Amino acid sequence: MRLTHETLLHRTFVSWLFLILIATSCGQASVQVPRPKPVQVAPTPGNTLRSFAQARGFYIGTTANVGALQKEQQYRNILAAEFNMMTPEVSMKFDATEPEQGHYTFTNGDTLVAFAKVHSMQVRGHNLVWYLALPSWLKTGHFTREELMTILHAHILAEVSHYRGEINIWDVVNEAINNDGSLRASIWSRVIGPNFLDLAFRWAHEANPQARLFYNDYGAEGLGQKSDAVYHMVAGMMKRGVPINGVGLQMHVSVVEYPPPQDVLANIRRLTAMGLEVQITEMDVKIQNDHRPVQERLAAEAQIYRDMLSTCLAVARCTAFVMWGFTDRHSWIPGATGHPDAPLIYDAGYQPKPAYFALLNVLKQ
Ligand code: XIL
């Protein structure tokens, strides 16, 4: 199907070239020559990740950023056609929403939410409490415990209330645990103490009792010290009656380093057995740092996407599969690692990769 289509396009292109040559040789170079349509190999709306996910009552999502959304038609088209869930990449973080104390800027977040609304997409609010993306007034302010609690309470109330009715899923606390399972040092843990976790969830619940509230982290997808620590932390919260509804497994992995799918399954099972919901929240698969030919690496990448989606779909309470972007053109990975990579399901020219078709086939079944 795809090949035939491409062959057709190729023929069209050759015909246009021919026409251009004739026009030029007839001395009519000023004639407006229509251009061939851009290559359109993306599946039609009935045959999309979104349509198959929807049929299963499942969410397939991606992070989105305002810059690309405003500048690129292809970005908007694919975002709306292929996904029924969206996570703002940076627009809802602390530094973006409260750049000055008490002054809130929700414009970029609102742009994304408006797009999601028009296209009936769920938004995952991301995030309320993190050790990164803090505004400088907060980092340099030397606040007392009481002051910082007031600041965090006000921030959570303002942001969650602003999106009440529009956003019903929040990553309340992001990345609070170290790889060895200990509590990460951050402004929140140092000044407020470990209790900041319970408080954040209680305040988010106060601002929107309807919202489902998540703890979100990386490197805690499979079994090990970190996922044990997350498990015990959320179990403790539930015992104390803290309003937590779910755990987000980020899934930033690579073709040479990823958790065994059976471990991810076991982890999802133990979390959901507690009554929690689980979502894969930020998946991407780095293909650098591997010496195999690129086609093999792309196949390995597709296999990891396939396995992780199948694993999530195997548990009813694993309700969403969200990637940290969809096109290699806008992945955060090159910025974070310092070298080019191809961790997502569309290439930098918006062509679907083997990983796209792997996900499509899993959702179709
Ligand atoms: C990243 C964004 O993608 C970057 O654009 C930004 O510079 C830094 O943050 N885990 C998370 C996300 O929870 O918020 C991070 O997003 C990626 C890692």
Side-chain angles (χ1 to χ4, degrees):
M1 198 48 196
R2 210 181 141 210
L3 275 181
T4 318
H5 200 51
E6 273 170 359
T7 313
L8 268 176
L9 278 160
H10 182 249
R11 285 203 190 132
T12 319
F13 183 63
V14 172
S15 321
W16 282 121
L17 261 184
F18 189 58
L19 277 177
I20 292 168
L21 277 177
I22 291 184
T24 319
S25 63
C26 293
Q28 294 173 354
S30 61
V31 169
Q32 280 283 319
V33 180
R35 294 186 179 281
K37 287 201 174 111
V39 180
Q40 260 286 329
V41 291
T44 51
N47 190 26
T48 58
L49 299 177
R50 175 184 178 138
S51 63
F52 292 119
Q54 207 109 338
R56 291 167 163 269
F58 187 73
Y59 287 100
I60 186 87
T62 172
T63 189
N65 75 69
V66 181
L69 186 92
Q70 287 174 337
K71 279 188 224 117
E72 295 177 45
Q73 183 70 48
Q74 252 174 319
Y75 186 93
R76 291 193 290 276
N77 289 350
I78 296 176
L79 183 60
E82 297 286 343
F83 302 98
N84 56 2
M85 180 174 269
M86 166 213 284
T87 306
E89 183 166 3
V90 294
S91 309
M92 293 187 184
K93 290 171 180 173
F94 210 123
D95 57 352
T97 50
E98 198 179 345
E100 284 172 62
Q101 187 169 3
H103 292 110
Y104 296 94
T105 51
F106 294 118
T107 327
N108 285 344
D110 291 354
T111 301
L112 294 173
V113 167
F115 183 90
K117 205 172 189 175
V118 169
H119 298 287
S120 307
M121 304 166 84
Q122 283 273 322
V123 179
R124 295 191 86 260
H126 176 86
N127 56 55
L128 300 171
V129 188
W130 194 24
Y131 73 103
L132 292 175
L134 299 171
S136 53
W137 64 265
L138 187 55
K139 285 190 284 193
T140 57
H142 303 292
F143 298 106
T144 65
R145 179 169 191 268
E146 290 308 311
E147 285 168 343
L148 201 60
M149 282 169 62
T150 306
I151 286 168
L152 186 58
H153 189 187
H155 181 82
I156 291 176
L157 273 188
E159 183 158 2
V160 176
S161 309
H162 179 81
Y163 289 112
R164 200 168 33 219
E166 321 258 19
I167 297 186
N168 286 318
I169 305 174
W170 279 101
D171 284 333
V172 177
V173 178
N174 200 39
E175 304 178 353
I177 306 281
N178 289 315
N179 290 344
D180 67 2
S182 57
L183 190 65
R184 184 192 290 279
S186 68
I187 187 172
W188 313 114
S189 64
R190 270 188 276 105
V191 182
I192 300 179
N195 193 33
F196 83 89
L197 282 143
D198 288 13
L199 291 172
F201 280 86
R202 291 193 193 284
W203 291 334
H205 183 73
E206 175 194 349
N208 181 359
Q210 260 79 56
R212 277 137 57 217
L213 307 179
F214 278 66
Y215 174 76
N216 189 50
D217 213 331
Y218 65 87
E221 295 85 7
L223 296 174
Q225 263 183 328
K226 185 162 181 176
S227 71
D228 284 351
V230 169
Y231 175 81
H232 291 301
M233 181 185 78
V234 297
M237 292 170 102
M238 290 190 75
K239 236 193 212 145
R240 293 190 294 277
V242 174
I244 178 169
N245 303 89
V247 172
L249 307 177
Q250 292 187 5
M251 202 69 77
H252 293 290
V253 299
S254 81
V255 288
V256 291
E257 204 179 358
Y258 57 93
Q262 68 270 22
D263 286 8
V264 177
L265 183 63
N267 192 34
I268 294 177
R269 287 224 162 102
R270 69 175 171 173
L271 289 166
T272 53
M274 255 194 273
L276 290 168
E277 190 175 336
V278 169
Q279 300 189 333
I280 307 297
T281 52
E282 305 188 11
M283 184 152 177
D284 47 26
V285 184
K286 293 184 274 295
I287 69 164
Q288 291 303 332
N289 298 330
D290 184 43
H291 301 297
R292 285 175 284 179
V294 71
Q295 291 312 323
E296 277 178 43
R297 283 186 272 149
L298 291 173
E301 175 178 60
Q303 184 67 43
I304 298 169
Y305 272 106
R306 177 185 299 125
D307 286 347
M308 295 309 173
L309 176 59
S310 306
T311 302
C312 177
L313 286 171
V315 183
R317 275 209 167 96
C318 187
T319 51
F321 183 89
V322 181
M323 290 157 274
W324 207 243
F326 59 92
T327 163
D328 293 338
R329 187 186 191 86
H330 295 299
S331 168
W332 75 299
I333 292 292
T337 61
H339 52 72
D341 211 317
L344 296 168
I345 62 171
Y346 284 81
D347 69 17
Y350 288 112
Q351 298 305 301
K353 294 161 62 181
Y356 170 89
F357 295 103
L359 296 185
L360 193 75
N361 288 332
V362 171
L363 289 169
K364 244 185 209 178
Q365 282 158 22

